[in-house]
Short mmCIF file of all heavy atoms in Angstrom, two decimals:
data_model
loop_
_atom_site.label_atom_id
_atom_site.label_comp_id
_atom_site.label_asym_id
_atom_site.label_seq_id
_atom_site.Cartn_x
_atom_site.Cartn_y
_atom_site.Cartn_z
N GLU A 49 75.63 104.40 86.19
CA GLU A 49 75.13 105.19 85.06
C GLU A 49 75.09 104.35 83.79
O GLU A 49 74.24 104.57 82.91
CB GLU A 49 76.01 106.42 84.84
CG GLU A 49 75.51 107.33 83.73
CD GLU A 49 76.48 108.44 83.42
OE1 GLU A 49 77.67 108.32 83.77
OE2 GLU A 49 76.05 109.44 82.81
N ARG A 50 76.01 103.40 83.67
CA ARG A 50 76.03 102.51 82.50
C ARG A 50 75.17 101.28 82.71
O ARG A 50 75.21 100.34 81.92
CB ARG A 50 77.47 102.08 82.18
CG ARG A 50 78.45 103.21 81.98
CD ARG A 50 77.92 104.30 81.07
NE ARG A 50 77.54 103.80 79.75
CZ ARG A 50 76.75 104.44 78.91
NH1 ARG A 50 76.21 105.59 79.27
NH2 ARG A 50 76.47 103.92 77.73
N GLY A 51 74.40 101.24 83.80
CA GLY A 51 73.52 100.11 84.06
C GLY A 51 74.24 98.89 84.59
O GLY A 51 73.74 97.76 84.46
N CYS A 52 75.41 99.10 85.18
CA CYS A 52 76.21 97.99 85.70
C CYS A 52 76.21 98.01 87.24
O CYS A 52 75.75 98.96 87.85
CB CYS A 52 77.65 98.07 85.18
SG CYS A 52 77.78 98.11 83.39
N ARG A 53 76.75 96.97 87.83
CA ARG A 53 76.89 96.93 89.27
C ARG A 53 78.22 96.28 89.64
O ARG A 53 78.89 95.70 88.78
CB ARG A 53 75.72 96.20 89.94
CG ARG A 53 75.55 94.76 89.50
CD ARG A 53 74.24 94.18 90.02
NE ARG A 53 74.04 92.81 89.58
CZ ARG A 53 74.43 91.74 90.25
NH1 ARG A 53 75.06 91.88 91.42
NH2 ARG A 53 74.21 90.52 89.79
N THR A 54 78.57 96.34 90.90
CA THR A 54 79.85 95.81 91.36
C THR A 54 79.67 94.91 92.57
O THR A 54 78.66 94.99 93.29
CB THR A 54 80.82 96.93 91.76
OG1 THR A 54 80.24 97.68 92.83
CG2 THR A 54 81.11 97.84 90.59
N ALA A 55 80.66 94.07 92.77
CA ALA A 55 80.84 93.34 94.02
C ALA A 55 82.23 93.72 94.51
O ALA A 55 83.24 93.33 93.92
CB ALA A 55 80.74 91.84 93.81
N SER A 56 82.28 94.54 95.55
CA SER A 56 83.56 95.07 96.05
C SER A 56 84.03 94.23 97.23
O SER A 56 83.36 94.16 98.26
CB SER A 56 83.38 96.54 96.47
OG SER A 56 84.58 97.05 97.01
N HIS A 57 85.18 93.60 97.07
CA HIS A 57 85.73 92.73 98.11
C HIS A 57 86.89 93.43 98.83
O HIS A 57 87.43 94.42 98.36
CB HIS A 57 86.21 91.41 97.51
CG HIS A 57 85.14 90.65 96.79
ND1 HIS A 57 83.93 90.32 97.36
CD2 HIS A 57 85.08 90.16 95.52
CE1 HIS A 57 83.19 89.65 96.51
NE2 HIS A 57 83.87 89.55 95.37
N TYR A 58 87.27 92.86 99.97
CA TYR A 58 88.37 93.39 100.78
C TYR A 58 89.41 92.29 100.94
O TYR A 58 89.08 91.18 101.39
CB TYR A 58 87.86 93.86 102.14
CG TYR A 58 88.92 94.37 103.10
CD1 TYR A 58 90.01 95.10 102.67
CD2 TYR A 58 88.80 94.13 104.47
CE1 TYR A 58 90.96 95.58 103.54
CE2 TYR A 58 89.73 94.61 105.37
CZ TYR A 58 90.82 95.33 104.90
OH TYR A 58 91.76 95.81 105.78
N SER A 59 90.65 92.57 100.55
CA SER A 59 91.68 91.55 100.61
C SER A 59 93.03 92.19 100.93
O SER A 59 93.18 93.41 100.89
CB SER A 59 91.78 90.80 99.27
OG SER A 59 92.14 91.69 98.23
N CYS A 60 94.00 91.35 101.24
CA CYS A 60 95.38 91.81 101.44
C CYS A 60 96.31 90.75 100.91
O CYS A 60 95.95 89.58 100.78
CB CYS A 60 95.66 92.12 102.91
SG CYS A 60 95.77 90.67 103.98
N ALA A 61 97.53 91.17 100.58
CA ALA A 61 98.49 90.25 99.96
C ALA A 61 98.85 89.10 100.90
O ALA A 61 99.10 87.98 100.45
CB ALA A 61 99.76 91.01 99.56
N GLU A 62 98.87 89.38 102.20
CA GLU A 62 99.32 88.36 103.16
C GLU A 62 98.29 87.25 103.37
O GLU A 62 98.65 86.11 103.67
CB GLU A 62 99.63 89.01 104.51
CG GLU A 62 100.80 89.97 104.49
CD GLU A 62 100.42 91.36 104.01
OE1 GLU A 62 99.22 91.59 103.69
OE2 GLU A 62 101.31 92.22 103.94
N LEU A 63 96.99 87.57 103.22
CA LEU A 63 95.94 86.63 103.58
C LEU A 63 94.98 86.31 102.45
O LEU A 63 94.21 85.37 102.55
CB LEU A 63 95.14 87.16 104.77
CG LEU A 63 95.87 87.31 106.10
CD1 LEU A 63 94.96 87.93 107.13
CD2 LEU A 63 96.37 85.95 106.58
N GLY A 64 95.01 87.09 101.39
CA GLY A 64 93.96 86.93 100.38
C GLY A 64 92.70 87.64 100.84
O GLY A 64 92.76 88.68 101.49
N TYR A 65 91.54 87.06 100.56
CA TYR A 65 90.29 87.73 100.89
C TYR A 65 90.04 87.74 102.40
O TYR A 65 90.15 86.73 103.08
CB TYR A 65 89.12 87.07 100.17
CG TYR A 65 89.07 87.44 98.70
CD1 TYR A 65 89.37 86.51 97.72
CD2 TYR A 65 88.76 88.75 98.31
CE1 TYR A 65 89.35 86.86 96.37
CE2 TYR A 65 88.73 89.10 96.97
CZ TYR A 65 89.03 88.15 96.01
OH TYR A 65 89.02 88.51 94.69
N ILE A 66 89.67 88.92 102.89
CA ILE A 66 89.29 89.12 104.29
C ILE A 66 87.79 89.34 104.39
O ILE A 66 87.15 88.93 105.35
CB ILE A 66 90.04 90.31 104.90
CG1 ILE A 66 91.54 90.08 104.87
CG2 ILE A 66 89.58 90.59 106.32
CD1 ILE A 66 92.35 91.28 105.30
N GLY A 67 87.23 90.03 103.38
CA GLY A 67 85.81 90.32 103.37
C GLY A 67 85.23 90.11 101.99
O GLY A 67 85.86 90.44 100.98
N LEU A 68 84.01 89.55 101.93
CA LEU A 68 83.32 89.34 100.66
C LEU A 68 82.11 90.27 100.58
O LEU A 68 81.44 90.54 101.58
CB LEU A 68 82.87 87.89 100.52
CG LEU A 68 83.99 86.85 100.47
CD1 LEU A 68 83.40 85.45 100.28
CD2 LEU A 68 84.99 87.15 99.35
N ALA A 69 81.82 90.73 99.38
CA ALA A 69 80.79 91.73 99.16
C ALA A 69 79.43 91.25 99.66
O ALA A 69 79.05 90.08 99.47
CB ALA A 69 80.70 92.09 97.68
N CYS A 70 78.69 92.17 100.27
CA CYS A 70 77.35 91.89 100.75
C CYS A 70 76.35 92.11 99.61
O CYS A 70 76.38 93.14 98.94
CB CYS A 70 77.00 92.81 101.92
SG CYS A 70 75.30 92.60 102.53
N ALA A 71 75.48 91.14 99.38
CA ALA A 71 74.49 91.25 98.30
C ALA A 71 73.39 92.24 98.63
O ALA A 71 72.70 92.72 97.74
CB ALA A 71 73.89 89.87 98.01
N HIS A 72 73.19 92.54 99.92
CA HIS A 72 72.17 93.51 100.35
C HIS A 72 72.88 94.65 101.10
O HIS A 72 72.54 94.98 102.23
CB HIS A 72 71.13 92.85 101.25
CG HIS A 72 70.39 91.73 100.57
ND1 HIS A 72 69.76 90.73 101.28
CD2 HIS A 72 70.20 91.45 99.26
CE1 HIS A 72 69.19 89.88 100.43
NE2 HIS A 72 69.45 90.30 99.19
N SER A 73 73.85 95.24 100.45
CA SER A 73 74.72 96.21 101.13
C SER A 73 74.01 97.52 101.39
O SER A 73 73.16 97.97 100.62
CB SER A 73 75.97 96.46 100.28
OG SER A 73 75.62 96.98 99.02
N ALA A 74 74.38 98.14 102.52
CA ALA A 74 73.89 99.47 102.87
C ALA A 74 74.90 100.54 102.47
O ALA A 74 74.59 101.73 102.50
CB ALA A 74 73.62 99.55 104.37
N ALA A 75 76.12 100.15 102.10
CA ALA A 75 77.17 101.05 101.62
C ALA A 75 77.78 100.42 100.38
O ALA A 75 77.74 99.20 100.20
CB ALA A 75 78.24 101.26 102.69
N VAL A 76 78.35 101.24 99.50
CA VAL A 76 78.82 100.73 98.21
C VAL A 76 79.95 99.72 98.34
O VAL A 76 80.15 98.89 97.45
CB VAL A 76 79.23 101.88 97.28
CG1 VAL A 76 78.04 102.76 96.95
CG2 VAL A 76 80.37 102.71 97.88
N ASP A 77 80.71 99.79 99.43
CA ASP A 77 81.85 98.87 99.59
C ASP A 77 81.65 97.91 100.77
O ASP A 77 82.62 97.35 101.27
CB ASP A 77 83.14 99.65 99.77
CG ASP A 77 83.18 100.44 101.09
OD1 ASP A 77 82.09 100.74 101.63
OD2 ASP A 77 84.28 100.76 101.56
N GLU A 78 80.41 97.68 101.19
CA GLU A 78 80.16 96.85 102.38
C GLU A 78 80.51 95.39 102.11
O GLU A 78 80.14 94.81 101.09
CB GLU A 78 78.70 96.97 102.81
CG GLU A 78 78.41 96.24 104.10
CD GLU A 78 77.01 96.51 104.63
OE1 GLU A 78 76.22 97.16 103.91
OE2 GLU A 78 76.71 96.07 105.76
N VAL A 79 81.21 94.80 103.07
CA VAL A 79 81.61 93.39 102.96
C VAL A 79 81.28 92.66 104.25
O VAL A 79 81.12 93.27 105.32
CB VAL A 79 83.13 93.24 102.68
CG1 VAL A 79 83.50 93.91 101.38
CG2 VAL A 79 83.97 93.79 103.83
#
Side-chain angles (χ1 to χ4, degrees):
E49 183 187 20
R50 305 313 302 162
C52 304
R53 60 189 178 91
T54 61
S56 178
H57 302 306
Y58 177 37
S59 62
C60 71
E62 295 83 1
L63 295 176
Y65 284 110
I66 299 173
L68 297 182
C70 177
H72 300 158
S73 60
V76 296
D77 66 337
E78 185 172 7
V79 300

